[in-house]
Amino acid sequence: MTHRSGVRPRASLSFLLWLLVLGCMKGSTAVVAPPEADMPGERARLALTPPMGFNNWNAFGCDVNEALIKETADFFVSSGLKQAGYEFVNIDDCWSKMERGADGRLAADPVKFPSGIEGVAEYVHGRGLKLGIYADAGTKTCAGYPGSLGQEEIDAQTFADWGVDYVKYDNCSNQSDGSRADFVRRYTAMQRAIERTGRPIVYSICEWGQSQPWEWAPEVGQLWRTTGDIHDSWHSIRGIIAVNAPLAEYAGPGHWNDPDMLEIGNGTLSEIEKRTHMSLWAMMAAPLIIGTDLRRASADTLAILQNRELIAIDQDRLGVQGNVVSNGAGLMVLAKRLESGEVAVALYNSTDAQALVSAPAASVGISSETGVYLHDVWAAAGVEAKATIAAGVPAHGTVVYRARPLAATDVVAPSLSVEGNLGTLIPGLAKSVALTTRVVNHGSSAAKQITVSVQAPRGWRIMPATAAAGPSLATDGALETRWNVLVPEATPAGRHPLTVTASFTWNAASTRAASTSEVTSVVAVAPPKGDTPLSTLVPVSASNGLGPVEVDASNGGEAEDDGNLISIGGKLYTRGLGTHAPSSVSYHLGGRCASLSVDVGVDDEVGADGSVAFEVHADGKIVAQSGVLTGKDPARTLTADLKGVDQLELVTLSGDAPLGDHANWAVPRVVCGGSTARSVVERTLFSFESGTEEFTIANAGAGGAFALSKHFATDGSAGLEVTSPADGNWFGRRFKAPIDLSAFKRLRYDVKTGPAGTVGELALQVGPGSSWCQGGRWSWINANSSKTIERAFTEISCPAGVTLDRKQVHAIWVFVKAATVQIDNVRAE
Ligand code: GLA
């Protein structure tokens, strides 16, 4: 895909003439419409295939600077990303000074960008790459920097003068009446201003899909966001695919749906999820804008981002977004026509269990008279199918094929789908759980001498109860096998992969081939002895009315980890489950527990809205219920007898007013194993109940202040209000004598932001040399929100030669960068 690198689209003669006309018009107020026939073509030429590049926002938030952009540009060249087609290095929000200059122009923050944007552009261009910048169609950017509303001409000219090649135009502080006309007006104003500069600049519209931009933005920009912000979570990726995939008809060369930047490499996605992210973005002809710290990216992350076959599907010159061929029960099939005449087909499983995903070849536009050739893009191997394209697809996984009619010269193995179905596993039980595997031959030729095997984690016992081998499977023939599964006592709760493989021979020469798929097993473990908060346990299953069930936070919105500290009737809780009715969360108790107690209620974040009924089910029977509670009601305490109960289910039902059903299970606790001792041990380090507790500022010269506060207390009645300088500072304390935290795994503290978001980090001084170890950086932008920050000691890194000696902790520091934040209850757990 080298055709994109470093080649600037050339302006045609008519475009140049048009610019000349405009140049002559300067000073006059008349607006000359561009020559109808040519301008859209010129515009399209800026992005005939979806833009590819990098943007700092997903991984760095506001923490952008010149070194990062230059090093990323260098890395594009040295790693081969440039060769693979990645071209734009884009700066997001927070690059400018807080005020415009005396000349009315935006100016780069001189600390973050000592060479100015101009200098960075020169550097990036010097590497054959292009530079992008961020602005906002409002009075302020989302992080509070100057916006461009009403200043479109001067800002576009400034960007052009600096040599900018790409402008992302955001939608915060937009002063909008919400009408489509207003969106079109604001976004067209910047488009016109950019085009008037005469510089070819890709225009990326970022209004979060609010006014159905796919219906008007193809005339305005080369790409437009179709959704709210992406997050580094499976939930976010799945939600965005569901919105963006049905918009295929609106995309084409020069105008693309933008489902937001990539999260691959940012930490929470599994390998299967990362591949789905890349696969679906390629199938949806999405801009491929990398959003991770490339300088620290793993080999796996780079291999996914550089997968040539997927990039080729994304960048295919035909420029169509893949169509949704079928979509139901969480299983989606997409088909994307390619310039070569082939069709890229994605079999996508968004559910939490492995599933068979299939489509008749005819439904993806391939006539199957002679059969179908399927090239598996991730496995880099070919198979043949008679008339059905099918695969057993792992939970959250995607299989991508390049498909075409089978040619007489294709001599390949038949396509076999492999499925597996498995109940919940309980470690150490004498009784086994059944696994059913099913292998189906979709090929024209027979699969012979089949043997099925299951690979499981060490120590697991998997024994076939019925035949796991068969002589031969003709087209559509199936081999079903039942297995008994036993897991060893110490297996941790959670999801563990099993690999099912069918190996077979397929031709006269008895060539062996294999087909495999991953099956997810759910291992459930009964709570430990003692009094345990349910939010520290792994549920067997969870379903929720809006977004995922949040742990130790309220429901918030659609995204993962977007809630606040749970709050009912003004009372804050640092533990619990934030759900949205209707919801269900179930736990395996194994008959070990005696009782449950919990406070339930609608979260204060919805005001007086919401109407929710809470029910506790024990082995399917209702054992406690709240009646309907609304946002006006205080918390209600529920208790339940759990003696002998195997399965506990927390259920919420929506009442008569379905809006705002943010349903909290605050501090749900189970008492199990005949003990009431707390099973999760905490040590409070600072609770600010006896004053500021000798807090200090690490770099006194750098500014900042703190004071006792009654505004925010998650423990007792006092917390600390911290005012930080613009670049942040470290707040904390050296202990009189070193403390021993070796019994704990992590540090936690509660934070509430002021009118702007905040970023932070943790540091400890440890060992005989009192060395600084720091890390566990976090950032979140929601104003006036609260959460518990939790960082494991393993997330805090020490300089070379120093180990994080938890036996000798001399000082604990919290880094804060925000105007004002409240913190409370710094504790080890
Ligand atoms: C909005 C955009 C994001 C990012 C931030 C920056 O949320 O949608 O992509 O640019 O603003 O503040």
Side-chain angles (χ1 to χ4, degrees), residues 392-405:
V393 184
H396 307 180
T398 305
V399 170
V400 182
Y401 290 121
R402 259 192 359 251
R404 59 167 167 79

Side-chain angles (χ1 to χ4, degrees), residues 680-696:
V680 177
V681 190
E682 268 185 12
R683 171 170 170 180
T684 301
L685 302 164
F686 315 112
S687 68
F688 309 110
E689 296 306 316
S690 58
T692 56
E693 297 178 356
E694 296 171 38
F695 248 56
T696 50

Side-chain angles (χ1 to χ4, degrees), residues 54 59-60 68 72 264-266 290-298:
F54 164 88
F60 298 90
L68 169 65
T72 302
I264 295 164
N266 286 341
I290 297 168
T292 194
D293 185 354
L294 283 168
R295 304 162 307 174
R296 292 189 195 147
S298 69

Side-chain angles (χ1 to χ4, degrees), residues 13-370:
L13 195 62
S14 58
F15 181 52
L16 292 174
L17 277 175
W18 176 70
L19 292 173
L20 207 67
V21 173
L22 272 184
C24 302
M25 297 279 308
K26 268 202 180 140
S28 123
T29 50
V31 176
V32 176
E36 283 286 316
D38 289 330
M39 214 19 232
E42 291 305 331
R43 218 175 275 143
R45 213 156 300 182
L46 288 172
L48 284 176
T49 62
M52 292 174 65
F54 164 88
N55 173 299
N56 65 277
W57 181 256
N58 288 356
F60 298 90
C62 259
D63 232 354
V64 61
N65 59 52
E66 182 168 327
L68 169 65
I69 299 300
K70 287 180 167 174
E71 283 164 28
T72 302
D74 290 344
F75 191 82
F76 265 31
V77 177
S78 65
S79 63
L81 282 165
K82 176 182 165 186
Q83 263 281 314
Y86 291 93
E87 177 181 30
F88 293 97
V89 187
N90 295 351
I91 301 168
D92 210 277
D93 203 352
C94 313
W95 59 269
S96 78
K97 282 190 180 167
M98 274 298 180
E99 304 294 337
R100 287 174 180 270
D103 55 0
R105 286 181 177 247
L106 292 170
D109 179 327
V111 177
K112 292 177 182 167
F113 292 94
S115 318
I117 302 301
E118 203 167 4
V120 178
E122 202 177 304
Y123 188 93
V124 170
H125 293 157
R127 270 134 199 85
L129 300 166
K130 294 180 176 175
L131 184 78
I133 208 154
Y134 166 100
D136 186 280
T139 49
K140 278 191 163 128
T141 72
C142 296
Y145 292 79
S148 298
L149 189 66
Q151 319 270 344
E152 295 86 0
E153 299 291 327
I154 189 168
D155 290 354
Q157 194 56 55
T158 305
F159 298 151
D161 293 346
W162 286 341
V164 164
D165 309 292
Y166 183 113
V167 172
K168 169 176 170 182
Y169 204 41
D170 211 346
N171 189 33
C172 275
S173 304
N174 59 27
Q175 317 297 318
S176 177
D177 59 11
S179 66
R180 175 177 295 191
D182 176 74
F183 276 73
V184 174
R185 189 161 50 237
R186 284 182 298 119
Y187 281 89
T188 307
M190 182 53 96
Q191 173 209 17
R192 295 244 165 90
I194 287 173
E195 285 176 0
R196 253 172 230 143
T197 68
R199 188 176 171 82
I201 294 177
V202 172
Y203 183 37
S204 152
I205 293 171
C206 175
E207 56 82 284
W208 321 315
Q210 285 199 338
S211 69
Q212 292 75 47
W214 43 90
E215 290 175 357
W216 54 266
E219 311 299 316
V220 181
Q222 285 77 30
L223 60 157
W224 54 86
R225 282 269 298 277
T226 55
T227 69
D229 286 7
I230 198 166
H231 296 276
D232 180 23
S233 77
W234 168 245
H235 186 83
S236 170
I237 309 289
R238 176 170 55 192
I240 286 181
I241 294 168
V243 176
N244 195 72
L247 299 173
E249 65 182 285
Y250 300 99
H255 51 280
W256 308 103
N257 288 310
D258 175 8
D260 209 356
M261 306 171 291
L262 301 172
E263 291 283 3
I264 295 164
N266 286 341
T268 74
L269 301 178
S270 69
E271 288 305 305
I272 284 178
E273 291 163 352
K274 286 191 210 170
R275 288 177 175 210
T276 285
H277 192 0
M278 188 73 185
S279 301
L280 268 291
W281 263 237
M283 289 297 296
M284 297 189 299
L288 297 177
I289 307 291
I290 297 168
T292 194
D293 185 354
L294 283 168
R295 304 162 307 174
R296 292 189 195 147
S298 69
D300 286 346
T301 288
L302 287 174
I304 292 172
L305 293 171
Q306 282 178 309
N307 184 301
R308 294 287 173 130
E309 294 202 39
L310 281 157
I311 292 176
I313 290 173
D314 180 77
Q315 296 287 303
D316 187 79
R317 304 296 291 185
L318 211 54
V320 294
Q321 172 171 337
N323 256 315
V324 178
V325 172
S326 67
N327 186 18
L331 310 178
M332 193 187 270
V333 177
L334 295 101
K336 184 182 196 291
R337 281 185 300 121
L338 303 176
E339 196 185 22
S340 61
E342 294 166 301
V343 180
V345 178
L347 308 176
Y348 161 51
N349 174 6
S350 74
T351 74
D352 296 337
Q354 200 246 27
L356 181 80
V357 188
S358 75
S363 73
V364 304
I366 295 187
S367 132
S368 54
E369 270 161 36
T370 56

